[in-house]
Amino acid sequence: PGRVTLTARDRVGVTMSTFEASVETDGHPLSVSLKPAHLANALAIGKTLRIAGPEMPCVVTNPAGGKCVFMPVRLPPGA
């Protein structure tokens, strides 16, 4: 088991809110930037989120075989 931290920031980088949850992990820790609306839409489809890397597609699945694929946001260096 591991932990995931979701942090929402405004356009200038000020933290607006943070959410932490226990998760099952498989691999190394990573940092990924996601658009909140894309994540919310995907999680309406299912609850299993797979993130392979910061520039790889994210996939949400549900037990019935439904799937939603979306891309992380590429941030400028140092952001």
Side-chain angles (χ1 to χ4, degrees):
R3 301 218 30 98
V4 65
T5 302
L6 299 176
T7 303
R9 292 189 176 96
D10 66 12
R11 292 179 189 246
V12 294
V14 175
T15 298
M16 304 301 288
S17 64
T18 300
F19 172 80
E20 285 193 34
S22 294
V23 295
E24 287 185 35
T25 61
D26 133 10
H28 301 289
L30 57 95
S31 180
V32 177
S33 296
L34 305 171
K35 286 193 174 190
H38 292 173
L39 180 59
N41 289 339
L43 292 175
I45 302 293
K47 301 300 179 212
T48 301
L49 172 62
R50 298 186 189 283
I51 302 172
E55 295 183 7
M56 302 291 291
C58 300
V59 181
V60 172
T61 57
N62 66 29
K67 185 182 292 188
C68 180
V69 179
F70 61 103
M71 291 298 294
V73 177
R74 193 177 287 180
L75 295 176

